[in-house]
Amino acid sequence: MKLTKTAILLATAILTLVCTTTAFAGQTDEPVSKETKKEAKKMEKEGWKPLPLAKPIAEQLQRSADLRKERLSDHLPRYFIATGAAKAGSIDIAKTLATERAKQELAAQMNAEVNLLTDYYLNNMQGGETASNSSSTIETRVKTIQRVGKTTTLMEICRDAEGGNIEVKVSIALDKEAILKDQ
């Protein structure tokens, strides 16, 4: 009886693996544009290379460009995108510092959008039901933006710097739509 249960579990696992593999086999990433390839070559000539386990620079740049193009229904950018750079004696320390700087830039962008939305509301307050609807929309948007969700890493590149240090550049994105869904 144990052998039969084990055989069924093993067969299920293999079948799941085969189905998953064939499902992903037909999927390909967006092709990298010529401009992105040129930019990647330029960066590689400057000494930049992807961090270990990261995708090639051209793919990272293409993903960043694709996310920058995405818009919400109100035509505002869907993502906050921020970049941080740091130099340190090891990749790990430089990556941590660069990520923290990117998060600080992300917070500054979020603060700027909150201020912009607040100013827009205050300047366009009309009274009555319209103002009430605008007020609740702006209030929801501000509360949403203030909650930082999980960021997506778009780019992780490094190069050798002076003094035996390593320079790391990290770009992260925060999806505004995902924050709205988490409410």
Side-chain angles (χ1 to χ4, degrees):
M1 193 69 159
K2 283 186 179 181
L3 182 59
T4 307
K5 287 181 181 177
T6 305
I8 291 172
L9 287 173
L10 182 59
T12 304
I14 290 172
L15 184 61
T16 302
L17 181 62
V18 169
C19 291
T20 305
T21 304
T22 55
F24 287 112
Q27 295 178 354
T28 56
D29 292 337
E30 281 288 316
V32 178
S33 70
K34 289 181 183 180
E35 296 83 25
T36 302
K37 287 179 182 177
K38 286 180 185 178
E39 180 66 24
K41 284 187 180 189
K42 179 183 170 191
M43 292 176 76
E44 288 168 353
K45 285 181 182 177
E46 293 173 354
W48 292 104
K49 57 188 175 194
L51 285 181
L53 303 176
K55 291 184 177 191
I57 293 175
E59 289 181 32
Q60 293 183 53
L61 287 172
Q62 186 64 50
R63 175 124 192 252
S64 294
D66 291 344
L67 291 185
R68 287 180 199 280
K69 293 176 188 175
E70 288 192 41
R71 301 286 174 194
L72 293 170
S73 60
D74 57 4
H75 304 292
L76 290 173
R78 178 176 173 176
Y79 294 92
F80 288 112
I81 298 177
T83 301
K87 294 178 186 177
S90 75
I91 287 179
D92 292 334
I93 293 172
K95 181 181 172 184
T96 301
L97 289 171
T99 302
E100 288 305 312
R101 289 179 181 159
K103 287 179 181 178
Q104 290 172 354
E105 183 183 326
L106 193 69
Q109 288 178 23
M110 293 168 71
N111 188 37
E113 187 159 324
V114 166
N115 289 336
L116 187 127
L117 289 170
T118 305
D119 290 346
Y120 175 80
Y121 168 70
L122 292 175
N123 290 331
N124 293 309
M125 192 175 353
Q126 298 171 358
E129 189 176 323
T130 306
S132 177
N133 289 340
S134 293
S135 173
S136 65
T137 301
I138 297 297
E139 186 177 319
T140 301
R141 197 78 186 262
V142 168
K143 286 180 181 178
T144 298
I145 290 170
Q146 289 174 336
R147 296 181 332 157
V148 176
K150 183 180 178 193
T151 59
T152 302
T153 302
L154 299 178
M155 186 166 37
E156 295 178 317
I157 55 175
C158 65
R159 68 178 174 185
D160 294 329
E162 68 277 344
N165 288 328
I166 296 173
E167 183 177 8
V168 174
K169 193 180 284 188
V170 174
S171 289
I172 58 174
L174 179 62
D175 185 353
K176 296 176 189 178
E177 196 169 86
I179 297 171
L180 287 169
K181 290 178 184 176
D182 288 344
Q183 280 189 342

